[in-house]
Structures are given as C-alpha cells and as structure tokens.
Amino acid sequence: MPGIRILQNKVSLDPMSSQLKFAGPGVREDVLSFHRSIEGYEQTPLAELKGLADQLELGSIRIKDESFRFGLNSFKSLGASYAIARTFGLSKLEIANTDVTLVTATDGNHGRAVAWAATRVGARSLIFIPDGADPKRISAIEAEGAEVREGGINYENAIECAISVSKAESHVLIQDTAWDGYEEVPELITQGYFTMVAEALEQSGWKWPSHVFIQAGVGSLAAGVIGAFYSYREKSVPKFVIVEPQGAACVFESAKHGRLITIEGRHETLMACLSCGRASSSAWELLEQTASAFVSCDDETTLDGMRVLSQPTGDDPAVLSGVSGAVTAGLLYELMQDSECSEYRDFLGLGPESNVLLFSTEGPLV
C-alpha cells in the first residue's frame, strides 16, 4: 500500500464544548435558508451507489455531487456567498450600496466562487492564483468578471499577495483559511458549507452515516462538514476520515507532529484544489479533536476514484468527478479491496453495517 499513509487519531472533543458555538442548530438553519434564497438554488444530487457498496461489502455508499452547485462545478460558492453577504450585512445575495474590491487567493474553485458572488453584490474581484495554474481554471475565474493575477509558486505565496494588496489598496479580503487575527471571514465560509450536509441528510431520508470521508486542503471544508454534523445535538457523530494529497499533506503532517506544520515549496500533486501547504488555524483546532483518522494519498488514488465513479457498478449512477473530488472514493475503494488494508478497516470499523458518506467536491475541469 505505498500510495496511502494513514494516521489514527483519538476523538477528544466534548460535543457541548464552546468550541462548537459556531455550529449551533440555529446557524445551520440560517445558512440553509440563505442559500435557498439565491436565484438558481437547487439541491445537488446525492447518488446512492448500491452496486459499489455490495462489491465492497459495505452497508451503503452515498456521494454528494457538488459539480452541479450554481453552475460553478464545485461546492465553493456555498462558503463564498454566505461570507460575502454577511460581511456586507446582507440577508440575501443581492446588490449592495458599496464600491469595493474583494480580494482572495485560490487554487481555482474558491476564486471562481468569490468572483461569482462579488458580481451579485455589485463588487469587483481580484484573484491571486499560484504561478503555472491550469489556464482553464484561470479562464473560469475571469468568466465571472474577476481580474486574475499570478501570486508565487504556491497557495501560501498567493495568500501573501492577497493580504498585501488588500491592505495597501483598502480592499476586502475574503480568504477561506484562518490565522491569528483573521478568523471571522473563514468561520463564515466554513459555516456556508453546512448546507451540503443538511441537504445530504434530507435526501437520504435521514439515514445517518457511520463514516464520512472528507477532503482537506486548508481544512475549512472538513471543519464545515464536521461542524454541521455536530450541530445535530441529539445525534451521535460519525467517524470522520480526513483525506489529502501526499504532495500537500499539511493536515496529516500537523496531526503527526501535534502542531501546525507548513509544507514549503511547490506542491506536486494533480489535486490542485487540495494543494495547500498550511492548514487553517481554526479548522486545525477542530480537526485534531474530531477526526478518527488522517490520510494522505498519491495521485493514483484519486485517478482510481474518478474511474470507479465514472464507470459504475451494476445500476449505480455515474458520477463525473474532478481530481480533487474523487480522492475519497478512490481511498474507500482501496481500503476495502486491498488485503494489506485489513488493519485500517478494523480500526475504522468499516464493514457490512457501515453507511459511508462521500462528497465529490468538484466536477472534471472543462
């Protein structure tokens, strides 16, 4: 199993902890109501993969396909729209009486989402992206009305550019990662992701998952998914498995060392939207107390996931996932098929009674 590293973690968070104040039931309901008010809102599909579950000897597998979200090919609009509206004191995503430029750094999807939401509140947007980004990602951001600039060799360099310009030119920074002194906007973005969980549970007929596999770049998505589950106070939480690319496994390395670790240099991975060198400080504080396992995977794992999802088993629907969206499916497939993974299956408790929830966070890059 050379392409996968797994680190077991002890869940230690008290469900009544004040650290979960950001994830109350009222917040979840407010977020969902906000997204429902946006023109074009529809629930994204939740696919039940019965054939694959039977093949892998699991109780059920469901995957939320975020490629359909607001026509933007990823889940990121949920966080960006909620944060931008609340930053301007808006109850809906609507034109505000403002003359500002929103600035962010991105590996692709977040920048596109910020540009899309900025247009809808009447703001301009300036997006920094690492050097050498796929031209298709840049074109998709520009198509939403943004100015795009290169910002160094990695995501962290791009963030530094965004911070510098926002301060120098009095722009508004809408970043999806937190650090000391910058927590409010990232928390709003994280809360915006609650909608995915609320929809998935409703669509499944409230069949509660035993396991949730979720991707991590800086960790804000994972924190949002975990926070959403903790917001259902009357329920026991699933086991959360946090999944990253080996070329940018900042959360995995932080868990391994017991503190925030920065991965320097250019991050070599196909999973561009998970290519981050340092975790969000607030997300990390939650993940280290709530994850059952941290996993880093090679690119072959996500390519396997794309194949498994696009070439379905039996009568399962096909799910067309992107390279950052399919890694959890690839990991689950390998864990259940590879004889060398029996130890990991055992400590995660994966078996015929397991109900697994996955998120395909993006569609293919077109």
Side-chain angles (χ1 to χ4, degrees):
M1 197 182 59
I4 296 176
R5 296 184 298 163
I6 300 182
L7 185 64
Q8 190 172 1
N9 189 58
K10 182 179 179 180
V11 176
S12 59
L13 183 66
D14 181 347
M16 301 309 294
S17 170
S18 61
Q19 192 172 338
L20 290 168
K21 185 178 179 181
F22 85 101
V27 175
R28 183 187 71 241
E29 293 163 5
D30 178 71
V31 171
L32 186 57
S33 176
F34 168 80
H35 287 132
R36 285 172 171 165
S37 74
I38 298 175
E39 183 179 356
Y41 167 80
E42 292 181 351
Q43 290 185 340
T44 53
L46 181 72
E48 184 168 4
L49 307 180
K50 294 181 180 179
L52 184 60
D54 288 345
Q55 179 185 343
L56 300 184
E57 298 183 349
L58 292 167
S60 68
I61 301 171
R62 291 178 173 83
I63 184 165
K64 187 86 164 129
D65 185 354
E66 286 296 305
S67 68
F68 291 89
R69 186 68 68 182
F70 292 119
L72 296 173
N73 204 38
S74 89
F75 72 100
K76 287 287 191 176
S77 57
L78 294 173
S81 62
Y82 187 70
I84 289 169
R86 293 299 183 258
T87 296
F88 288 122
L90 303 173
S91 60
K92 296 182 179 181
L93 195 66
E94 58 190 2
I95 297 295
N97 185 21
T98 185
D99 181 25
V100 300
T101 297
L102 307 183
V103 182
T104 197
T106 186
D107 283 311
N109 291 331
H110 174 66
R112 184 180 184 184
V114 168
W116 171 83
T119 299
R120 279 150 183 77
V121 299
R124 298 174 296 277
S125 55
L126 171 60
I127 313 298
F128 287 91
I129 195 165
D131 302 349
D134 192 308
K136 292 180 181 178
R137 294 194 183 277
I138 295 173
S139 295
I141 297 170
E142 291 175 333
E144 300 299 333
E147 177 187 351
V148 180
R149 298 181 191 172
E150 289 189 333
I153 66 169
N154 60 31
Y155 176 69
E156 286 65 45
N157 291 162
I159 290 176
E160 292 170 3
C161 291
I163 294 171
S164 177
V165 169
S166 65
K167 289 180 178 178
E169 301 183 19
S170 299
H171 296 333
V172 178
L173 184 66
I174 304 291
Q175 200 57 57
D176 56 349
T177 188
W179 55 86
D180 187 27
Y182 186 77
E183 290 95 5
E184 184 176 350
V185 168
E187 180 174 284
L188 290 168
I189 289 172
T190 297
Q191 289 170 330
Y193 301 148
F194 289 6
T195 287
M196 289 194 303
V197 173
E199 289 179 356
L201 291 174
E202 180 183 341
Q203 290 168 301
S204 71
W206 297 95
K207 187 159 187 176
W208 202 255
S210 60
H211 298 74
V212 178
F213 286 59
I214 187 69
Q215 298 90 325
V218 297
S220 294
L221 168 63
V225 169
I226 291 171
F229 275 103
Y230 271 95
S231 75
Y232 294 91
R233 299 287 196 250
E234 73 284 2
K235 293 281 194 177
S236 59
V237 293
K239 292 181 178 179
F240 299 108
V241 180
I242 311 302
V243 186
E244 297 173 279
Q246 283 189 357
C250 59
V251 176
F252 181 95
E253 292 298 329
S254 297
K256 181 179 177 180
H257 292 88
R259 58 184 174 84
L260 274 175
I261 294 293
T262 300
I263 309 296
E264 304 286 356
R266 191 178 296 276
H267 307 138
E268 300 297 336
T269 177
L270 293 177
M271 294 174 257
C273 290
L274 302 179
S275 182
C276 305
R278 186 172 178 85
S280 167
S281 58
S282 56
W284 164 243
E285 289 174 4
L286 183 65
L287 299 186
E288 69 171 335
Q289 298 180 74
T290 55
S292 292
F294 297 94
V295 184
S296 71
C297 302
D298 63 9
D299 288 339
E300 287 301 317
T301 303
T302 200
L303 294 175
D304 286 344
M306 293 174 72
R307 176 185 55 78
V308 167
L309 293 173
S310 65
Q311 301 173 16
T313 303
D315 294 329
D316 288 353
V319 176
L320 300 182
S321 187
V323 285
S324 298
V327 64
T328 53
L331 171 61
L332 180 63
Y333 187 84
E334 191 157 343
L335 285 175
M336 299 310 296
Q337 293 283 84
D338 192 329
S339 60
E340 294 183 28
C341 294
S342 59
E343 176 186 350
Y344 301 123
R345 291 195 293 270
D346 289 345
F347 86 67
L348 287 172
L350 285 166
E353 302 302 316
S354 301
N355 297 309
V356 181
L357 177 62
L358 310 174
F359 294 87
S360 176
T361 52
E362 66 171 7
L365 189 61
V366 293

